[in-house]
Amino acid sequence: MAGSPFRSALAQFEKALQYVEIDAGIVEQLKKPARLAEVNIPVAMDDGSMKVFLGYRVQYNDARGPFKGGIRYHPQVHLDEVKALAFWMTIKCAVVGIPFGGGKGGVKVDPRRLSAGELERLSRGWVQKMFPIIGPDVDVPAPDMYTNSTVMGWMVDEYSKLAGKHTPAAFTGKPIEVGGLDGREDSTAQGGVFVIKELVKKLKLTPSKIRIAVQGFGNVGYYTAKLLHDAGYKIVAISDSRGGIVSVNGKDMDPAVVMKTKKEKGLIDGCYCVGTVCDCENYKTITNKQLLEMPCDILIPAAMENQITNVNAGRIKAKIIVEMANGPTAPDADTKLFKRGITVVPDILANAGGVSGSYFEWVQNREGSRWKNHDVIAKLEPLMRESFDTVWATARKHEVDLRTAAYIIAIKRISEAMKTREKIYK
Ligand code: NAD
């Protein structure tokens, strides 16, 4: 399959294998998901008709803990993509050392074309079909692209009804009122920002001089841009699926104002205006393709897979790429970027704050407690900084890129768990 995310994931895995000694049997198992579930979800539409939507859950590996991973609603969701995302979750949880395996789910749908009622019936339908194979000790889903805390609220409610008991730990990323974590909404971004700060320290850079371009303005892109802006970094371009805006004179933009504008006008490109204050002099429109190739110091892809490929890798001008999206860089592009001296902080590290926040939520639900936002930050910050430092040191030791280093660490941890469990159960 051209541009197959799963093939990309396996290529990254194989590249790291030369630096670790693990059993051939374990390698063989890690190349395939443990279980693939494909379901048809009937949904009663508002106009009285019935539509059937295709849903997926891929459970990749649970050697280190229950399967864990988000559910994506997108018209282009396909099994190959869900497999890749489930594989990356397995690796990601091991990179940051949280006790989860990897899984991922999806529904092939454009949620923007559904009413709230249709979306709720679809979300509850996904749970009804997957109920036998998910649960707090088995597989714990969370939000991903075009799903959010509202969707998780419907899902956990449906799960609890089917289970006949209150089961908040069955899903993470829930609304706070039903056991969600104070801080889960921006934990992916928070984690990425801790990693960026650590990298900036290592490279002895000055935050106020760092120009940042962000592709994607959803949960991850928005909060990452906002937190970096608030920390004194310069946000010079932002985009969503329809295009974006770029600063013409290097002027910093405020992501909170851009979000307000987007909510009021429905678009972020075209103008950067709020109320009566218009600033179209300092900003102009930009396409997503132009944003990736524009001059900046840090490029942050925070939308889809396969954005940086062999075709545009040679034209990237950023010195650092921080992958807040999953799988934005194709393997051949990765090699090109490394040769060009561009530092790529891989998704399996950069966006691991999300699943770490989910882990804290799961722990909170299981102990029946409520954590405060400062408790979450106090746990997330050292976790992300230490994970970054370990990956950095491994990269230096083996003279490899940060992605390969992260894989080396994860493969060792997963393999140890698989070997230990085999010993126990033999
Ligand atoms: P989201 O649905 O909140 O936002 C997605 C954003 O991407 C929107 O602004 C959308 O307009 C934009 N977009 C979509 N297609 C685009 C394109 N072709 N070009 C440019 N922009 C485009 O999704 P999210 O939760 O922010 O997830 C974004 C990425 O981060 C995904 O790759 C997801 O897997 C990854 N991720 C999310 C989390 C999380 O906690 N939400 C955690 C880890 C990784």
Side-chain angles (χ1 to χ4, degrees), residues 319-348:
K319 298 171 196 78
I320 297 167
I321 297 173
V322 179
E323 295 182 337
M324 294 305 289
N326 284 308
T329 311
D332 45 3
D334 228 1
T335 310
K336 231 182 204 175
L337 295 171
F338 187 60
K339 280 193 189 141
R340 291 186 55 212
I342 296 172
T343 302
V344 179
V345 183
D347 47 5
I348 46 174

Side-chain angles (χ1 to χ4, degrees), residues 72 144-146 184 188 215-220 240-241 288 302-304 324-326 351:
R72 178 175 291 195
D144 189 69
M145 278 189 84
Y146 299 130
R184 172 61 185 92
T188 307
Q215 184 202 44
F217 203 52
N219 173 290
V220 176
D240 68 9
S241 60
N288 270 297
M304 299 289 288
M324 294 305 289
N326 284 308
N351 69 33

Side-chain angles (χ1 to χ4, degrees), residues 18 77 84 100 103 110 128 144 153 197 209 232 239 260 273 276 304 307 341 352 355 359 363 382 404:
Q18 57 186 298
V77 159
F100 282 132
D110 185 348
Q128 288 157 14
D144 189 69
K197 286 182 177 170
K209 290 192 181 148
S239 71
K260 189 164 180 282
C273 308
T276 54
M304 299 289 288
Q307 297 301 298
V355 72
Y359 167 57
V363 172
T404 306

